[in-house]
Amino acid sequence: MSKIRSIQQKTHNRFLNYYELEAVRRDGGVFPYYVASRAKDVSRLKAVTHENQPDGVILYGVYGEAKDRVVLIRQYRYPLGDYAYEFPAGLVEEGEDMTAAGIREMREETGLTFTPVEAGSYSRPFFTTIGMTDESCGTVFGYCSGLPTSIHEEASEDIQVILADREEARRILREENVAIMCAYMLMHFIASTGDPLAFIKE
C-alpha cells in the first residue's frame, strides 16, 4: 500500500511552500516526492490533517439584468510569462469563511459588488492540481453589479476585467490562455440557457 514515511519542509514563504515527501510505493520502493502547498508548516499539510479546508475561493459571478454575461479577469501570470483568462479568485484568510472571502476578492479584483447565492455542495472545496499540490478551492456563485474598476488592485497584480457574453466566452476558449477551472465553467456558461445559476436552484 502506498504511504508517506516522512515529510521535510524546504521553504518558509508567506503564500506557498515546498515540501519533500519520503514516499513509499505500493511495491515497497521508496522515492522522493515533491509538493507545493499553501500550508505554512508540515502540521498543516492535508497529507497530515486529512482535512479539506479551502485554501482559496473561485467566483462564478453572473452580470447584467438579462443574466447573460459572466465576470472574468485577464491577468498576467508569471509562470506563463503571459496573460490568461480566469474567474476572479483569491486566498481565504485565516478565520474567514468562503462567502466573505468571495465578496472581498470580487471587490478587490474587479470593483464589482458580489451577492452570493447558497449553493450547498456545489460550493464545497475541490482539489486543483493534485499531482503537484494539496491546494483546494471552493466556488462561490452569485450575481454582480456596479462598474468594473482596477483601483483596488495590489501593485503585484495586472488585471483587466472582462464581462463576457456567450459569444465572447466561445472565442476565449478557442483562442486564449485559460485556466482549466475557468474553462470548465465557461463551457457550462455557454451550454446554459437563461440564468446560468438556475442549476443551483433545481
Side-chain angles (χ1 to χ4, degrees), residues 79-125:
L80 301 182
D82 201 353
Y83 290 85
Y85 284 75
E86 308 170 58
F87 276 78
L91 297 179
V92 177
E93 296 178 356
E94 196 160 343
E96 185 180 41
D97 67 38
M98 288 198 324
T99 300
I103 293 168
R104 175 181 55 76
E105 286 290 348
M106 185 66 81
R107 180 176 180 274
E108 289 175 2
E109 293 197 349
T110 71
L112 298 172
T113 298
F114 186 48
T115 304
V117 299
E118 175 56 46
S121 62
Y122 292 120
S123 283
R124 76 183 187 92

Side-chain angles (χ1 to χ4, degrees), residues 176-188:
E176 304 288 353
N177 295 325
V178 185
I180 194 165
M181 292 177 288
C182 177
Y184 288 144
M185 289 192 280
L186 283 181
M187 292 173 201
H188 166 268

Side-chain angles (χ1 to χ4, degrees), residues 150-191:
S150 60
I151 63 170
H152 304 295
E153 281 180 38
E154 296 179 9
S156 61
E157 295 176 319
D158 182 354
I159 295 173
Q160 177 187 1
V161 182
I162 309 293
L163 303 176
D165 60 15
R166 287 175 174 87
E167 182 179 346
E168 176 63 2
R170 286 188 182 92
R171 186 200 68 77
I172 289 167
L173 287 174
R174 284 195 312 267
E175 301 175 8
E176 304 288 353
N177 295 325
V178 185
I180 194 165
M181 292 177 288
C182 177
Y184 288 144
M185 289 192 280
L186 283 181
M187 292 173 201
H188 166 268
F189 172 65
I190 290 167

Side-chain angles (χ1 to χ4, degrees):
M1 179 174 142
S2 300
K3 62 182 180 180
I4 299 166
R5 185 177 288 171
S6 64
I7 304 173
Q8 292 183 19
Q9 185 169 356
K10 296 296 187 179
T11 64
H12 295 83
N13 297 315
R14 183 179 175 192
F15 296 117
L16 186 67
N17 283 295
Y18 179 52
Y19 296 85
E20 182 179 336
L21 282 54
E22 187 179 15
V24 180
R25 300 188 312 233
R26 59 186 170 83
D27 65 1
V30 178
F31 68 103
Y33 195 101
Y34 301 98
V35 174
S37 178
R38 301 290 186 185
K40 291 181 169 49
D41 57 62
V42 170
S43 69
R44 300 188 193 189
L45 285 170
K46 292 181 177 69
V48 174
T49 67
H50 300 287
E51 295 176 358
N52 186 10
Q53 295 297 320
D55 300 288
V57 63
I58 300 165
L59 311 173
Y60 190 146
V62 174
Y63 188 87
E65 287 186 16
K67 299 181 175 63
D68 60 349
R69 285 180 282 174
V70 68
V71 179
L72 303 175
I73 58 172
R74 179 178 178 268
Q75 182 168 199
Y76 187 86
R77 287 299 194 180
Y78 292 101
L80 301 182
D82 201 353
Y83 290 85
Y85 284 75
E86 308 170 58
F87 276 78
L91 297 179
V92 177
E93 296 178 356
E94 196 160 343
E96 185 180 41
D97 67 38
M98 288 198 324
T99 300
I103 293 168
R104 175 181 55 76
E105 286 290 348
M106 185 66 81
R107 180 176 180 274
E108 289 175 2
E109 293 197 349
T110 71
L112 298 172
T113 298
F114 186 48
T115 304
V117 299
E118 175 56 46
S121 62
Y122 292 120
S123 283
R124 76 183 187 92
F126 295 102
F127 295 102
T128 55
T129 310
I130 51 179
M132 61 177 289
T133 180
D134 66 352
E135 182 186 59
S136 69
C137 295
T139 305
V140 179
F141 301 85
Y143 301 99
C144 291
S145 59
L147 296 175
T149 177
S150 60
I151 63 170
H152 304 295
E153 281 180 38
E154 296 179 9
S156 61
E157 295 176 319
D158 182 354
I159 295 173
Q160 177 187 1
V161 182
I162 309 293
L163 303 176
D165 60 15
R166 287 175 174 87
E167 182 179 346
E168 176 63 2
R170 286 188 182 92
R171 186 200 68 77
I172 289 167
L173 287 174
R174 284 195 312 267
E175 301 175 8
E176 304 288 353
N177 295 325
V178 185
I180 194 165
M181 292 177 288
C182 177
Y184 288 144
M185 289 192 280
L186 283 181
M187 292 173 201
H188 166 268
F189 172 65
I190 290 167
S192 65
T193 56
D195 183 352
L197 302 187
F199 75 99
I200 292 172
K201 305 161 190 174
E202 294 174 354

